């Protein structure tokens, strides 16, 4: 990074935005009694990027207070949508992520101020996307047996573990299913298992040991009188 050529003293407040919409973050610096200087980013090295503009529904319109996580093949970044970035300054509200040589973002997870968590998968790089908050209905009374019996690590990066509960002794089957409904891997298949808490792990491989592609999978637990299926995002190591 080259030093910034901005002579003189009395600078206060800086803000960042992609002012010319070329995917490189530019900067504005406010000076005492000397206006504002704009620094255009002319980095010549081609790199991939993505910008995420939030459109709140249950939350505020700009998604101020939201946190965005981006996962990509073992790399993790996070941004928070804030208002105010320095003295009398405000950066752009779209979150900017550098992706380096990656041509897509594997998983984008948005934690909205309302509490909603929203996921996007395999989003192509070099664009600004607008994400509208999904509004889900809540307040449905919980029935005694609707309590989840399966607790999973999500997303799974390379390998993950699951905890599950067998409420009544009997047959148990636990497996990974892909989005097309195909069984990818059986993790447990017991004719009789004593009631209790158990753990199981998945290393991202199918029955033949092949590494599965990054994407959405389902962990499915079948016991004597229950079926619980939960969606999980798997990211290759
Ligand atoms: Ca720019």
């Amino acid at each position: 990074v080259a030093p910034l050529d901005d002579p003189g003293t009395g600078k206060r407040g800086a803000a960042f935005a992609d002012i010319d919409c070329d995917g490189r973050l530019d900067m504005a610096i406010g000076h005492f009694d000397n206006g504002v200087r704009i620094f255009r980013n002319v980095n010549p090295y081609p790199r991939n990027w993505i910008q995420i503009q939030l459109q709140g529904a249950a939350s505020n319109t700009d998604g101020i207070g939201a946190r965005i996580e981006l996962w990509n093949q073992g790399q993790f970044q996070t941004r928070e949508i804030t208002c105010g970035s320095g003295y009398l300054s405000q950066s752009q509200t779209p979150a900017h992520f550098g992706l380096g040589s990656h041509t897509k973002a594997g998983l984008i997870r948005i934690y909205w101020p309302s509490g909603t968590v929203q996921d996007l998968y395999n989003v192509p790089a070099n664009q600004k996307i607008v994400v509208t908050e999904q509004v889900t209905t809540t307040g449905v009374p919980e029935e005694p047996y609707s309590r989840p019996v399966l607790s999973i690590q999500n997303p799974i990066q390379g390998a993950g573990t699951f905890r599950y509960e067998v409420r009544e002794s009997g047959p148990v089957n636990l497996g990974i299913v892909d989005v097309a409904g195909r069984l990818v891997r059986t993790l447990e298949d017991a004719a009789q298992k004593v009631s209790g808490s158990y753990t199981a792990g998945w290393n991202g491989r199918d029955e033949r040991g092949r590494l599965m592609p990054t994407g959405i999978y389902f962990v499915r637990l079948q016991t004597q009188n229950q079926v619980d299926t939960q969606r999980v995002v798997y990211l290759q190591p």
Side-chain angles (χ1 to χ4, degrees), residues 17-26 40-41:
D18 183 9
I19 295 165
D20 55 355
C21 301
D22 66 351
R24 293 174 290 201
L25 275 184
D26 311 295
R40 183 169 167 244
N41 186 340

Side-chain angles (χ1 to χ4, degrees), residues 50-54 68-70 81 92-97 105 108-110 120 123 127-131:
I50 193 162
Q51 285 191 7
I52 300 153
Q53 166 99 60
L54 298 185
I68 304 176
E69 295 179 352
L70 189 146
I81 308 301
Q92 66 176 18
T93 49
H96 182 102
F97 289 90
I108 295 168
R109 175 164 290 173
I110 300 156
L120 299 125
V123 183
Q127 59 167 336
K128 181 167 113 174
I129 58 166
V130 178
V131 181

Side-chain angles (χ1 to χ4, degrees), residues 141-159:
E142 202 176 301
E143 291 177 23
Y145 263 85
S146 70
R147 191 154 63 87
V149 289
L150 181 62
S151 163
I152 60 177
Q153 172 195 333
N154 193 10
I156 295 172
Q157 278 209 285

Side-chain angles (χ1 to χ4, degrees), residues 109-150:
R109 175 164 290 173
I110 300 156
Y111 293 87
W112 292 92
S114 65
T116 298
V117 180
Q118 195 169 342
D119 288 346
L120 299 125
Y121 310 97
N122 297 322
V123 183
N126 304 326
Q127 59 167 336
K128 181 167 113 174
I129 58 166
V130 178
V131 181
T132 303
E133 183 175 9
Q134 278 173 351
V135 178
T136 51
T137 47
T138 53
V140 178
E142 202 176 301
E143 291 177 23
Y145 263 85
S146 70
R147 191 154 63 87
V149 289
L150 181 62

